[in-house]
Structures are given as C-alpha cells and as structure tokens.
Amino acid sequence: MVVVQTNSSDLSAVLEPISQDMAVLTQRLSSNLIDDNPFIDELLDQVFRAGGKRIRPGLVLLCHRATCKEDSNSTDAVEQQLHITLAALTELIHTASLVHDDVIDRADVRRGQTTVHTQWSEKIAVLLGDLLFAQASVCLSQLESPQIVGIYGRVLGDLCAGEIRQMRQQYSLDVNWESYIHKSYCKTASLFSAGCRSAAILNNCSAEIIQQLAEYGKNLGICFQITDDLLDVTGNSDVLGKKTGGDLAQGIITAPALAVLERKDEPANKLAHLINTRAVNSTEGLEEALDLIQRYGGVEDTRALCRKYASQAKDNLKVIPNSSYRDSLDGAIEYLLHRVS
Ligand code: FPP
Ligand code: MG
C-alpha cells in the first residue's frame, strides 16, 4: 500500500487518494436531474463553477474508501456509484443552504463569484436553492436507505434551526459555550457527521465504526466552524474574501468574543458594552472590540478549543484500519489546525 504524505497546509494533498472519485463527483454535481431547461443548466453551472473546497463530499468519499471491506472490489461500479451519489447530495445540500444564506445575509460575492440573487433576483435564488434541495432528494431516494433519509432529514432541520438560533441571538449577551457549540453543530457539524456516518452505513460497517465516524464528522465539523469563527477575527480580508470582524459587526458572538466575555472582568465589561450598545456596528467600535479580543486571550483560547475538538476527532479514527484514506481523514484535521496556527 502506498501511504500518501499529506502536507497539512494543502487540502488537495488530503483529497489526493480520492482524486478520481472527486472528478466523477464534479460531473455529477452539475447534471440536471429535475428539468430539461438550459437556464437551469446555466444556474447550476454558475453555482458549481466557483468550486469551493468540497471538503464535505471529500470526507464522504474518504470515509467510504477507508471502510471498504477488504474482500470487496473497491472499483465496483454500483458500490462506487452509491458513494458518489451520497457525496453529491451532501454537496448539493451544502450549496443550497449557501444560496439561501446569501439571500438572508445580502452577500454579493461567494467563492469569488457574484451571488445568484445579485446577478438574477432573490426569487430566482430562493427557487434555485429549493431546486438544489430537490436534486439532493432525488439522490437520497437512489440510496434506498430509509435510515439515511432520516439522517439527512434531520440535517435539513438542524441547518434551519441553527440559522434561526443565530438570528435570535444577535447582539444578545445570553450566548454561552453550550449554546454556541450547539449552534455550530446545527449549522455545520450535523452535515459533516451525516456524511461520514452514512458512508459507513452504506458499507455495512459495524455499529462501532458507524458511531465513531459519526463522532469524527461531528468533532471535525465543530472544529471547522470554530476555525472559521477564529479566521473572522484573525484572517486576512483579501484571502477570506470578506471583511475581518464581520461576525461581531453583525452582533454574532462566537468563540473569540465568548472567551473574553466569560472573564467577567473590566475588558469583558468593555466588550459587553460595545456589543450591547451596537457600537460594534461602527468602524471604531469594531476595532476596539477586536483589539480587546486580541489582547485578552480570545485568540489563544479559541485555538485551544479547536485543538480540543481536533484531538477528539483524531481519537475517533482509532477504530479505522490503517490506509492512505485514513491518513487523509487525519490530514483533514491537521489541515484545519494549520489554518489557524
Ligand atoms: C453559512 O453561514 C450558512 C450555513 C452554514 C447554513 C445556512 C442555512 C440556511 C440558510 C437554511 C437552509 C435551508 C434549508 C431548507 C436546509 P455564515 O453566514 O455564517 O457563513 P458565510 O460567511 O460562509 O456566509
Ligand atoms: Mg452568510
């Protein structure tokens, strides 16, 4: 067996062992399962042309390859087709939620491309998001697994509930670690976990492996959301494609701010005041808030929280046999940590 050395800063190295599957996936994503209409083809092309990291379908395919039975032929066409379908529906749901999210957030650009609602209209964007959910439902039916239908039904509910929770908590100092982690699970980790768990279910893995991969996806997904929230404070706005501090400016309290607020000292009171009075909406107020986070441990504490979830995800992989695919699942954890190191 050839073990691929993954460079922790490079996601393409992590996805290298499944590069052929990823190429098949790319074709699958733009195929129009619903309506033979050239405008819909154009819209699908627009949302998938921009690419994105494809980390969710990549994890599905890695979990599939890492848990294939040794006596099964891993290039078996039917078996592979099911996992490509699972990977595709996972990316379809993610993309649909982003098309809707950009309408809610009034975002003009996503992945360096003009958003659908900006280029066409909000009505088209809402309907395209719905159409992508419809494509995902067709894929889901092809798996012929009521268990996986239930898992993904729950994910759709989590995505909506996470978004509603976040809206209700804007500028609220009632956010605590438990509600923050729960929201991060709903918005991000639920879909990660569903993909990893379902890949193991399709491979008829043992209950233990299914459970550990579900936990791996959950821990990695929470880690992913926390790194995203940290980059919102520390990241380079040119690289991120959005302004630094955007979450705080919108009154969204994430890990770096929570870490300062929980000190309950003078800097915590100052930060609470800036949020409470919505001073974070102004450039000076936001700069002061970001400065408090940088100076009073918000960044370091958040890095430590990322490492905690990363370490739990690493432990979850112990039940998986050694392979280049397992190395890549491990490499995905390192990749996230490297983003915020
Ligand atoms: C990005 O959040 C958005 C999500 C993780 C999911 C949003 C979910 C919905 C809009 C509900 C989807 C609807 C159904 C029917 C499932 P963000 O705004 O924090 O991240 P960003 O900076 O990438 O926009
Ligand atoms: Mg958004």
Side-chain angles (χ1 to χ4, degrees):
M1 180 209 318
V2 180
V3 176
V4 177
Q5 289 297 323
T6 55
N7 174 344
S8 61
S9 66
D10 184 4
L11 188 61
S12 59
V14 171
L15 300 179
E16 208 283 325
I18 48 155
S19 55
Q20 284 185 352
D21 289 347
M22 291 298 280
V24 179
L25 169 84
T26 298
Q27 285 184 331
R28 244 342 242 298
L29 284 175
S30 306
S31 45
N32 184 347
L33 307 174
I34 304 290
D35 187 285
D36 186 13
N37 173 332
F39 180 56
I40 291 179
D41 287 341
E42 192 181 329
L43 290 173
L44 290 175
D45 205 45
Q46 179 180 346
V47 287
F48 290 114
R49 194 186 324 122
K53 293 191 280 291
R54 303 253 158 99
I55 191 163
R56 293 161 187 79
L59 290 172
V60 169
L61 295 167
L62 286 170
C63 286
H64 160 60
R65 294 285 181 192
T67 58
C68 271
K69 298 279 180 302
E70 279 186 18
D71 57 359
S72 82
N73 174 1
S74 60
T75 56
D76 176 272
V78 176
E79 181 191 283
Q80 192 198 352
Q81 211 53 42
L82 287 184
H83 285 84
I84 299 285
T85 301
L86 180 66
L89 84 89
T90 304
E91 186 67 2
L92 282 163
I93 289 174
H94 172 58
T95 307
S97 74
L98 293 184
V99 172
H100 281 183
D101 180 67
D102 287 338
V103 174
I104 295 169
D105 289 350
R106 307 207 176 281
D108 295 337
V109 177
R110 162 82 60 190
R111 298 167 177 167
Q113 304 264 332
T114 306
T115 48
V116 177
H117 71 95
T118 308
Q119 179 159 351
W120 305 101
S121 68
E122 286 196 357
K123 288 179 189 174
I124 292 280
V126 169
L127 291 168
L128 177 66
D130 291 344
L131 185 131
L132 292 167
F133 285 124
Q135 300 239 109
S137 307
V138 173
C139 292
L140 201 47
S141 73
Q142 289 166 353
L143 300 180
E144 298 184 3
S145 165
Q147 189 186 3
I148 297 178
V149 171
I151 291 169
Y152 276 86
R154 183 69 214 230
V155 168
L156 295 186
D158 287 339
L159 283 168
C160 296
E163 196 65 17
I164 291 170
R165 255 171 188 273
Q166 181 169 289
M167 276 181 202
R168 298 285 296 168
Q169 289 173 339
Q170 266 175 301
Y171 302 101
S172 162
L173 295 169
D174 289 341
V175 181
N176 57 32
W177 287 109
E178 194 189 349
S179 63
Y180 167 70
I181 295 295
H182 183 63
K183 183 202 74 179
S184 304
Y185 172 76
C186 288
K187 274 187 67 175
T188 308
S190 175
L191 183 57
F192 274 65
S193 180
C196 298
R197 179 180 175 194
S198 302
I201 291 172
L202 282 183
N203 275 343
N204 293 315
C205 291
S206 67
E208 191 191 9
I209 289 186
I210 292 171
Q211 169 69 13
Q212 289 301 317
L213 280 184
E215 285 295 310
Y216 164 81
K218 178 179 164 181
N219 287 317
L220 190 77
I222 292 175
C223 183
F224 182 91
Q225 186 58 51
I226 301 169
T227 57
D228 225 49
D229 294 341
L230 181 52
L231 285 172
D232 192 69
V233 169
T234 61
N236 175 327
S237 55
D238 292 338
V239 176
L240 293 179
K242 51 188 178 185
K243 271 191 178 165
T244 309
D247 286 340
L248 210 49
Q250 295 174 68
I252 299 170
I253 299 173
T254 62
L258 264 180
V260 176
L261 290 170
E262 75 171 350
R263 295 163 55 108
K264 304 214 181 302
D265 56 4
E266 193 47 36
N269 291 341
K270 266 194 200 162
L271 181 59
H273 182 73
L274 290 167
I275 296 167
N276 221 358
T277 58
R278 304 194 177 208
V280 283
N281 288 161
S282 71
T283 309
E284 310 80 67
L286 182 60
E287 269 175 19
E288 197 181 338
L290 291 174
D291 182 57
L292 286 166
I293 289 172
Q294 299 270 5
R295 279 179 31 222
Y296 293 97
V299 172
E300 267 323 302
D301 287 1
T302 304
R303 280 202 189 109
L305 192 63
C306 291
R307 286 195 292 272
K308 178 184 135 185
Y309 283 95
S311 155
Q312 288 173 5
K314 261 180 195 291
D315 284 349
N316 298 133
L317 291 178
K318 284 182 181 156
V319 295
I320 310 295
N322 278 331
S323 68
S324 60
Y325 307 112
R326 196 190 107 148
D327 289 343
S328 276
L329 290 170
D330 205 62
I333 305 170
E334 295 301 330
Y335 164 77
L336 287 190
L337 289 180
H338 190 270
R339 286 180 86 207
V340 290
S341 63

